[in-house]
């Protein structure tokens, strides 16, 4: 079982606490400002960039790692001196890496704000995500609104991207799915 670093505002002395990855999700009541998690690392490969280009239709030569002279010349004339991964690929990888670190009982992603693309992501770069709870606020009777500060960081410590994700996270008090009189599954009512 993997471990993550959890730094909590509750530990006023600033020490880090090692916590095992939870098999059950964290609920609104489990979260407080100052808690932070670090995801495992993963590389951003040329194949990732090619697949993202195919998916999105963004074939800008800046993102080309092929052997064509035109693509290489374009990338070399860029401000980065070599091909770079799509910024939105980095954002997508960040979203994926942060789904388990922490594993929250997320009901919905409701916003991404203040997003900054700080540095380019080069092919082969190894990245990880640091997530911190910035704010928590009740949202109805069965959920909370959480603002997470998320940072995509390279293995050499460069800050690549950062910004805020705003999500609705279920409350522990949220009623589980129940059965109707005819025995059929009835999902709980979702917050509006």
């Amino acid at each position: 079982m993997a471990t993550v670093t959890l730094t909590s505002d509750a530990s006023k002395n600033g020490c880090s606490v090692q916590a095992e990855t939870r098999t059950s999700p964290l609920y609104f009541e489990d979260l407080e400002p100052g808690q932070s998690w670090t995801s495992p690392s993963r590389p951003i490969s040329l194949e990732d960039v090619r697949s993202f280009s195919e998916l999105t239709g963004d074939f800008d030569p800046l993102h080309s790692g092929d052997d064509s002279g035109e693509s290489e010349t374009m990338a070399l004339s860029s401000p980065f001196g070599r091909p770079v991964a799509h910024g939105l690929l980095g954002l997508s990888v960040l979203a994926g890496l942060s789904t388990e670190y922490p594993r929250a009982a997320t009901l919905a992603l409701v916003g991404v704000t203040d997003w900054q693309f700080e540095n380019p992501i080069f092919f082969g770069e190894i990245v990880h995500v640091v997530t911190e709870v910035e704010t928590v606020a009740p949202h109805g009777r069965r959920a909370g609104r959480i603002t997470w500060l998320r940072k995509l960081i390279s293995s050499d410590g460069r800050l690549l991207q950062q910004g805020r994700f705003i999500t609705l996270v279920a409350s522990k008090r949220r009623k589980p799915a129940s059965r109707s009189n005819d025995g059929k599954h009835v999902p709980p009512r979702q917050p509006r």
Side-chain angles (χ1 to χ4, degrees), residues 7-8 27 41 48 57 74 89 94 124 137 171 180:
T7 307
S8 174
Y27 290 92
S41 297
D48 292 332
M74 179 66 171
L89 171 59
L94 173 139
S171 170
S180 66

Side-chain angles (χ1 to χ4, degrees), residues 174-189:
R174 187 167 186 232
K175 293 182 180 178
S178 60
R179 304 249 174 228
S180 66
N181 290 340
D182 62 3
K184 292 184 181 176
H185 174 50
V186 177
R189 204 176 93 185

Side-chain angles (χ1 to χ4, degrees), residues 128-142:
H128 68 276
V129 176
V130 174
T131 298
E132 180 179 338
V133 176
E134 266 196 350
T135 64
V136 299
H139 185 82
R141 293 178 304 193
R142 296 183 220 138

Side-chain angles (χ1 to χ4, degrees), residues 64-81:
S64 177
D66 62 24
D67 296 327
S68 78
E70 181 181 333
S71 295
E72 188 172 323
T73 301
M74 179 66 171
L76 291 175
S77 67
S78 82
F80 311 115

